[in-house]
Structure formats: structure tokens, C-alpha cells
Amino acid sequence: MRLLFMGDMVGRTGRMAVWERLPGLVSDLKLDFVIVNGENAAGGFGITEDIFLETISAGADVVTTGNHVWDQKEAVIFCERHDQFLRPANYPAGTPGRGSNLYFARNGARVLVANVMGRVFMHPELDDPFKCAEAILEACPLGLQADAIVFDFHAEATSEKQCFGHFVDGRASLVVGTHTHVPTADHQILNGGTAYISDAGMCGDYDSSLGMEKEEPLNRFISKMPKGRFEAASGPATICGVGVEISDRTGLAEKIAPLRLGPRLAETIPQFWA
């Protein structure tokens, strides 16, 4: 199975780049399943229902989120209407929406996608992500109820991300880190067969500070005083993500490689799909 995960869409330039490039990627690379993190798609803060629906129309099978999931208040309502929209699974019981779900890929495979948020340097601090993941895996184990399992681990600390990867190694197909918006170079297949990357990077303008116009963040580092609001950068976007080849027999990863298309960063596409 060919699975593509695309990192956090940031602002209009990020989401437009995804919408423009994703249909061609699905067709040209013969993708079976696509996941996009959309928590920064609306001006850098949250996501609206219209943006969610447009992302699904472009070819995404699931849209994950993170700590900005509720920044657009309408998300509290529309999250209940769409099972392809995920918020972190380790929110307290009774939180609207869902944190994991089972989907069917284009090749008929059953794909469990779970959105989990870390706790180190993160706000709000949610329930234990490790216990949450354990419950998800017990309810829908790889090879029994699911043919592939993907965790979007939305977290700040790379140590927490790495430990989470080792925790589910051999029981998930892919653990992909999101939140820090900078693509890391540690894509690998762990000892048990789980593909891993600390951060997929963002889909947005890299002439920025994490997708935001750089002047205000720079000002705050220097002066410690706000002069204005953070605004999503509007220059040409680079889309970043990771491609994984998953065994139809075991549900574990066979290959992993980064995807980067656009200006500033060196363009790369998984060569096993080229």
C-alpha cells in the first residue's frame, strides 16, 4: 500500500499548494491513502469546515489536527459531522469529535488513523498519550482489525516523539511527528518495522518563522514586546510530507522517504514511487 502523509498546512498559501498539487500526486504516484494535517490551515490558526471539505475534495482521505484544533470555533460543531476529521484522541472523555477511526484505502485495505498529542512543552496538557495509544491498539490491532495503522503524533519534544515511536514499534505502520513545522532528516524504519519521522514539516511559506510572517516573531524575540498579531506568511509554499510503502502481508513499513515540492527546500519525491 502506498500512503502519503502531508505536514501541517499553514495559511492560505499552504492550503492552496496542497489543493493544487495533491490531485496530481494521487494520480501520478498511484497513492492508496492520503493524510493531511490541517490544524493551521485557516490563517495559521485552526481550520474551517469549508477548508476541511476542500482538502478532502483534493484527495485527502483524513484530516488530522493538534493543539490548534478549536481555534476556529465552528470546529466544535462540524467535527461531529465528519468522520474524516480527527482531533487528538487523548482529549478528556466527552470532548466533541473523534481521535481515531478506521477507513478504507483505495486498494480496499483497512487503515486505522489515530491523532495523538504529546504533553512535553504542550498546551493544553492532555491525557497520557502512551495509555491512549495502548487503548487504541488494543481495540484495533494491526493484522486483525486493521491492515495498516498510522499515528499522527502532534508534539514539541523530539524525545517524546521518539519514545512514542519505540512504544508502538511493531504494532503500527507509521508514526509521523507534526507541530514543529520543520522537516527532520531522521526518517527511518524502526527495529520492529514501524516507519518513523520526528516531523514531516509544514506545507507553507518557508521564508517565514514556522509559516508566520517573520517580522513579528523576530520582534518578540528581540524586544519581548508585541507590536501586532502573528499573520500567516503569504509567499510561495513548499509542501512537505513523507511517503511510506506498507506491506500488504504484515502491515509494517517496507520503505519510507520524504516528499518536498516547492521553493527554498531541495525538492525530493520518494524514489520508489518515481
Side-chain angles (χ1 to χ4, degrees):
M1 182 174 71
R2 294 181 171 188
L3 184 146
L4 177 66
F5 185 100
M6 304 182 78
D8 308 41
M9 294 188 296
V10 182
R12 185 179 189 278
T13 188
R15 66 180 187 257
M16 291 301 296
V18 170
W19 296 347
E20 290 169 4
R21 299 298 295 267
L22 185 52
L25 290 171
V26 171
S27 174
D28 295 343
L29 303 180
K30 298 180 174 58
L31 299 176
D32 296 305
F33 202 80
V34 178
I35 306 167
V36 179
N37 187 293
E39 73 145 7
N40 301 117
F45 300 96
I47 184 170
T48 65
E49 186 171 23
D50 285 346
I51 293 173
F52 162 76
L53 292 172
E54 192 69 32
T55 306
I56 295 296
S57 295
D61 296 285
V62 183
V63 174
T64 56
T65 56
N67 58 302
H68 288 290
V69 61
W70 310 126
D71 283 6
Q72 301 295 321
K73 299 307 180 185
E74 66 181 85
V76 177
I77 305 301
F78 81 73
C79 70
E80 298 280 13
R81 291 197 286 263
H82 304 289
D83 62 7
Q84 292 169 286
F85 181 84
L86 297 181
R87 47 83 174 159
N90 50 331
Y91 265 98
T95 302
R98 57 189 56 78
S100 63
N101 205 15
L102 192 66
Y103 307 93
F104 285 97
R106 293 169 184 81
N107 67 343
R110 301 162 298 172
V111 183
L112 174 67
V113 182
N115 194 179
V116 179
M117 199 163 98
R119 297 200 292 185
V120 179
F121 308 130
M122 295 293 288
H123 179 78
E125 185 174 311
L126 302 184
D127 296 341
D128 185 341
F130 295 88
K131 288 183 178 178
C132 175
E134 188 66 45
I136 290 169
L137 291 170
E138 286 180 0
C140 191
L142 184 65
L144 294 177
Q145 278 78 31
D147 301 306
I149 297 177
V150 179
F151 282 95
D152 175 346
F153 192 66
H154 197 79
E156 182 75 27
T158 51
S159 58
E160 187 180 23
K161 293 179 179 183
Q162 289 175 343
C163 284
F164 185 87
H166 292 303
F167 180 71
V168 302
D169 186 21
R171 299 188 290 166
S173 312
L174 169 66
V175 172
V176 55
T178 56
H179 179 65
T180 54
H181 292 197
V182 177
T184 55
D186 62 338
H187 55 279
Q188 59 184 291
I189 297 177
L190 303 177
N191 293 337
T194 296
Y196 173 85
I197 187 169
S198 290
D199 203 286
M202 70 173 179
C203 299
D205 178 4
Y206 277 81
D207 183 16
S208 67
S209 174
L210 307 183
M212 296 290 141
E213 294 287 359
K214 54 185 177 286
E215 288 75 13
E216 181 58 20
L218 182 59
N219 162 68
R220 295 191 191 187
F221 278 117
I222 294 170
S223 71
K224 311 302 180 185
M225 294 288 291
K227 287 185 178 178
R229 300 174 57 192
F230 283 5
E231 302 284 348
S234 57
T238 297
I239 59 174
C240 287
V242 62
V244 183
E245 192 83 43
I246 298 170
S247 169
D248 294 332
R249 181 178 61 85
T250 66
L252 296 172
E254 296 180 329
K255 299 174 183 177
I256 180 174
L259 172 81
R260 294 170 196 161
L261 296 173
R264 294 197 170 267
L265 305 186
E267 290 202 350
T268 180
I269 193 166
Q271 289 303 304
F272 49 87
W273 291 347

